């Protein structure tokens, strides 16, 4: 190739790299809703537009592989024959893991047979195994996620001592171990987590962020998959039990967003949204005293350079096209959590319902 051609090609590549993403001005969304009887659903795992799994109350694990036309249901019973209430669901490229709230904490592994054509038909008979139990009057696990390697996983819960409850796995979820308080930051009295949407944990590579709430609302951060931890204050509303961060997401290792508020006063929008540009060390309140109000889940839209953000809660669905600085309501429908498939499609869940959101 001639030198001039090489220079021209390099200039074109540099020009393309400098082009910034132009965010969309979304004013409405389409929502297709599916009724799921007798269960409240706060944790979902999405694979594509057709396939998703959910974990709900009454021991129910559900799934669809055809976009919601048909649904399979697996009902898990505890050793005492009671139906556990699930609010955490994770996947490690091989198995699903569902973790219950309350005492005792029950963690189940469910091998995922995604290649079966008749998986919905057989789902009620799928094998599941109880792999971790924890008995304590204060035990209450809130959320769970796996790292990309599929071997390392983490689940977090409210304090049973003077520190957060954190259990980890290093072998793909076969065994779990609780981190002793001596290796964790100390919690203030009344500081805990919220089991609202399974999104108060965020993982990028070896980094994990966790958001607390209640008497204090802070960010716990580990850069080595949970071996060591630091904790950072935030200006999010806090001080009472239902106040604080309910959900976080990170677009890069430095750029993240947090949302929450006061569950007991859901219409309030004071200091319930914040962003960080330094990996969670410091946070700045955005859109203060204007909508959106309380939300239980916030997520960046994929492939939008951190510009487009959705937040959902019992007060409706809101959208931002400037990274969370300003917002507009796009639906008044109530949901607990949202998870995107791509730029245009997401799945949601709520009380006795699952839904698919599409952007026109």
């Amino acid at each position: 190739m001639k030198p001039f051609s090489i220079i021209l090609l390099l200039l074109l590549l540099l020009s393309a790299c400098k082009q910034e993403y132009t965010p969309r001005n979304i004013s409405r969304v389409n929502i297709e809703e599916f009724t799921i009887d007798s269960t409240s659903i706060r944790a979902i795992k999405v694979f594509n537009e057709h396939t998703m799994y959910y974990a709900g109350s009454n021991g129910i694990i559900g799934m669809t592989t055809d976009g919601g036309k048909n649904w399979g249901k697996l009902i898990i019973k505890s050793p005492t024959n009671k139906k556990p209430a699930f609010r955490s669901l994770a996947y490690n490229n091989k198995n699903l893991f569902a973790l219950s709230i309350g005492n005792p904490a029950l963690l189940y592994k469910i091998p995922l047979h995604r290649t079966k054509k008749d998986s919905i038909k057989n789902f009620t008979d799928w094998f599941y195994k109880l792999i971790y139990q924890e008995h304590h009057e204060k035990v209450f696990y809130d959320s769970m996620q796996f790292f990309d390697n599929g071997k390392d996983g983490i689940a977090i819960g409210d304090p049973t001592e003077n520190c957060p409850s954190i259990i980890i796995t290093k072998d793909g979820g076969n065994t779990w171990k609780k981190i002793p308080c001596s290796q964790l930051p100390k919690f203030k009295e009344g500081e805990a987590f919220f089991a609202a949407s399974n999104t108060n944990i965020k993982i990028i590579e070896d980094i994990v962020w966790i958001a607390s709430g209640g008497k204090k609302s802070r960010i716990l951060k580990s850069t080595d998959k949970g071996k060591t931890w630091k904790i950072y204050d935030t200006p999010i509303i806090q001080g009472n039990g239902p106040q604080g961060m309910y959900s976080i997401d990170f677009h890069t290792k430095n750029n993240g967003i947090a949302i929450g508020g006061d569950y007991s006063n859901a219409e309030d929008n004071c200091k319930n949204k914040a962003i960080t540009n330094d990996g969670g060390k410091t946070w700045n309140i955005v859109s203060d005293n204007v909508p959106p109000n309380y939300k239980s889940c916030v997520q960046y839209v994929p492939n939008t350079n951190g510009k487009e953000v959705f937040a959902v809660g019992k007060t409706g669905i809101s959208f931002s096209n400037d990274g969370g600085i300003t917002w507009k309501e796009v639906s008044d429908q109530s949901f607990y959590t949202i998870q995107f498939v791509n730029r245009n499609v997401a799945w949601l869940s709520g009380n006795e319902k699952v839904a698919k959101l599409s952007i026109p």
Side-chain angles (χ1 to χ4, degrees), residues 25-327:
N25 187 20
I26 299 169
S27 58
R28 66 182 183 89
V29 293
N30 297 324
I31 297 177
E32 182 181 11
E33 193 169 298
F34 309 96
T35 299
I36 310 293
D37 291 327
S38 305
T39 186
S40 176
I41 305 167
R42 292 181 180 269
I44 60 178
K45 174 58 188 175
V46 170
F47 290 98
N48 51 50
E49 295 184 32
H50 308 290
T51 303
M52 67 88 65
Y53 291 75
Y54 68 81
S57 57
N58 290 322
I60 296 176
I61 308 294
M63 55 92 79
T64 182
T65 58
D66 56 14
K69 294 179 182 178
N70 296 283
W71 293 87
K73 184 184 293 185
L74 172 66
I75 300 179
I76 293 179
K77 293 185 179 180
S78 72
T80 59
N81 216 33
K82 293 183 178 181
K83 296 174 182 178
F86 295 117
R87 295 197 187 180
S88 303
L89 184 67
Y91 176 64
N92 73 336
N93 303 319
K94 186 177 181 180
N95 304 298
L96 282 174
F97 295 83
L99 177 59
S100 71
I101 57 173
N103 183 24
L106 303 171
L107 175 55
Y108 292 88
K109 179 175 75 172
I110 309 163
L112 197 54
H113 310 291
R114 292 182 61 209
T115 58
K116 286 188 176 182
K117 294 182 180 179
D118 56 347
S119 57
I120 291 180
K121 177 182 176 181
N122 292 335
F123 193 53
T124 54
D125 299 320
W126 273 19
F127 170 80
Y128 61 86
K129 181 181 180 181
L130 179 62
I131 55 174
Y132 179 83
Q133 296 185 63
E134 185 176 335
H135 295 263
H136 193 284
E137 61 181 0
K138 295 182 179 180
V139 71
F140 195 101
Y141 279 91
D142 303 86
S143 54
M144 173 175 54
Q145 299 290 343
F146 271 85
F147 293 81
D148 290 340
N149 63 11
K151 294 182 179 181
D152 294 281
I154 184 170
I156 59 104
D158 297 346
T160 56
E161 301 178 60
N162 62 346
C163 70
S165 295
I166 300 181
I167 59 174
I168 59 172
T169 179
K170 298 290 183 180
D171 59 6
N174 293 319
T175 60
W176 294 75
K177 181 180 180 181
K178 190 169 185 178
I179 301 176
C181 274
S182 60
Q183 299 176 22
L184 292 170
K186 298 299 184 285
F187 261 18
K188 302 295 184 181
E189 182 70 28
E191 183 178 9
F193 301 110
F194 296 120
S197 62
N198 199 42
T199 58
N200 56 357
I201 300 178
K202 177 63 181 181
I203 292 174
I204 296 180
E205 296 179 1
D206 292 346
I207 304 174
V208 55
W209 297 267
I210 308 172
S212 72
K215 192 70 174 179
K216 294 284 289 185
S217 188
R218 299 188 286 179
I219 290 289
L220 291 79
K221 182 180 181 181
S222 171
T223 58
D224 51 16
K225 298 180 180 176
K227 293 179 182 178
T228 60
W229 293 88
K230 292 184 178 180
I231 192 164
Y232 303 104
D233 291 330
T234 77
I236 288 282
I237 187 171
Q238 54 198 276
N240 292 323
Q243 293 179 339
M245 292 178 287
Y246 279 71
S247 176
I248 56 173
D249 197 13
F250 275 76
H251 166 57
T252 67
K253 294 179 182 180
N254 288 321
N255 302 105
I257 189 167
I259 205 163
D262 187 340
Y263 183 84
S264 65
N265 185 18
E267 297 303 319
D268 187 30
N269 46 44
C270 175
K271 295 183 179 180
N272 71 320
K273 304 165 285 289
I275 59 174
T276 180
N277 297 309
D278 58 9
K281 295 178 181 179
T282 61
W283 295 78
N284 295 310
I285 295 294
V286 292
S287 193
D288 195 20
N289 290 311
V290 295
N293 38 34
Y294 163 81
K295 300 295 180 190
S296 55
C297 181
V298 64
Q299 295 286 281
Y300 288 106
V301 180
N303 301 316
T304 63
N305 288 358
K307 298 293 186 182
E308 296 183 14
V309 192
F310 272 81
V312 306
K314 64 180 182 179
T315 56
I317 303 173
S318 295
F319 168 75
S320 172
N321 67 358
D322 55 12
I325 304 299
T326 61
W327 298 77

